[in-house]
Amino acid sequence: MGFRFPRVVGHRGASADAPENTLAAFRLAAEQGAGAIELDAKLSADGVPVVIHDDTLDRTTNGHGDVRAHAFAVLDRIDAGSWFDRCFAGEKLPTLEATLKLCQALGLELNIEIKPCPGRVVETAEKVVADIRRFWPTNRPAPLLSCFDPDGLAAARAADSALPRGFLVNDLDDAAIKTAQRLDCVALHVRHVALDRTGVAAIKEASLVPVAWTVNQPARAVELVAWGVASIISDRPDAIRKALG
Ligand code: G3P
Ligand code: MG
């Protein structure tokens, strides 16, 4: 049977309405009808997988400096909600472990983007896979791993070849499709502005599942799905779900 992933995926959670990459944003994505969330995973100084997009803490937390320079005990005290709105004060920077457990409780699937800090790609992929093996039940659809760096996907495959992988690209060309195939990926995750009807057909022709990010306009989501895009990653899962019916 071919690989299947939910149609509507909350990008960093429901990140238009809650602070990105927090448990609050993941809960809201579930409430808004997303079938899955996308999140960004990287490592603390002492190797704990945590969920944050940027290499630095400054934009989305009350901390400062490089994520990789801080031990988990320090990251665990950081506020990742106040920058978005005072009502999210006290929202923590989540661990991947806490995120996996929450998604399990909510019945959400996950797309874990391996988002290493510079120089830590293999280690990040290995630790993400280790957390999945430890904290995700084998009787549920396995998390979909994605990465812009082919080395991250190769490391994930070496750690557990059974976990599904998607290659992340900004632009669609033959090389992107060939790299995804070489890495035994099930999906190609393309920046949506790089997609047209022909491109989506080429991805499907290569037996890859087309995934589009980050699509926040409902009409664009409808168009992409009509072309054959399987999953829409959006900051606004509510609006996209309503548009797609
Ligand atoms: O996984 C899709 C998307 O999240 C990739 O870009 O920068 O939002 O992590 P970015
Ligand atoms: Mg991402």
Side-chain angles (χ1 to χ4, degrees):
M1 206 170 67
F3 174 75
R4 291 180 65 84
F5 200 65
R7 179 80 83 202
V8 181
V9 184
H11 180 239
R12 312 178 195 173
S15 59
D17 300 314
E20 66 180 57
N21 282 323
T22 61
L23 298 187
F26 303 150
R27 273 190 214 99
L28 188 58
E31 282 170 28
Q32 292 189 358
I37 53 160
E38 184 267 3
L39 60 97
D40 305 291
K42 58 176 86 265
L43 300 179
S44 66
D46 45 347
V48 177
V50 292
V51 180
I52 182 169
H53 178 274
D54 297 0
D55 287 340
T56 54
L57 294 164
D58 299 64
R59 181 179 64 86
T60 60
T61 78
N62 65 351
H64 303 288
D66 291 342
V67 175
R68 62 166 298 165
H70 294 77
F72 173 67
V74 177
L75 296 179
D76 196 36
R77 294 197 296 269
I78 278 173
D79 182 318
S82 299
W83 70 274
F84 188 85
D85 190 290
R86 261 185 309 181
C87 71
F88 291 103
E91 194 65 37
K92 291 174 87 160
L93 194 160
T95 57
L96 182 57
E97 174 185 345
T99 304
L100 288 163
K101 289 176 174 171
L102 177 71
C103 288
Q104 195 181 325
L106 295 175
L108 275 175
E109 294 189 40
L110 301 97
N111 167 205
I112 302 173
E113 182 184 343
I114 298 164
K115 196 79 151 180
C117 290
R120 302 190 81 179
V121 61
V122 170
E123 187 189 0
T124 303
E126 290 174 349
K127 292 248 160 74
V128 165
V129 169
D131 265 12
I132 293 169
R133 291 168 73 110
R134 209 161 148 214
F135 302 116
W136 190 255
T138 50
N139 62 354
R140 295 275 299 275
L144 170 61
L145 301 176
S146 58
C147 192
F148 283 105
D149 187 335
D151 290 346
L153 294 171
R157 180 176 60 181
D160 187 344
S161 61
L163 292 175
R165 293 172 300 281
F167 183 36
L168 261 168
V169 291
N170 285 299
D171 300 300
L172 178 62
D173 54 19
D174 283 349
I177 289 176
K178 287 205 167 68
T179 300
Q181 290 177 319
R182 174 172 63 77
L183 293 162
D184 302 315
C185 290
V186 295
L188 190 59
H189 300 219
V190 186
R191 189 170 53 121
H192 85 89
V193 294
L195 285 169
D196 58 17
R197 187 189 294 275
T198 312
V200 174
I203 296 168
K204 294 179 74 170
E205 185 66 24
S207 298
L208 294 164
V209 171
V211 175
W213 53 276
T214 300
V215 185
N216 290 330
Q217 296 305 320
R220 177 62 171 162
V222 169
E223 179 176 54
L224 289 162
V225 168
W227 291 342
V229 168
S231 298
I232 301 288
I233 299 179
S234 175
D235 300 330
R236 303 175 63 208
D238 197 16
I240 301 302
R241 182 186 55 79
K242 285 180 181 143
L244 295 177

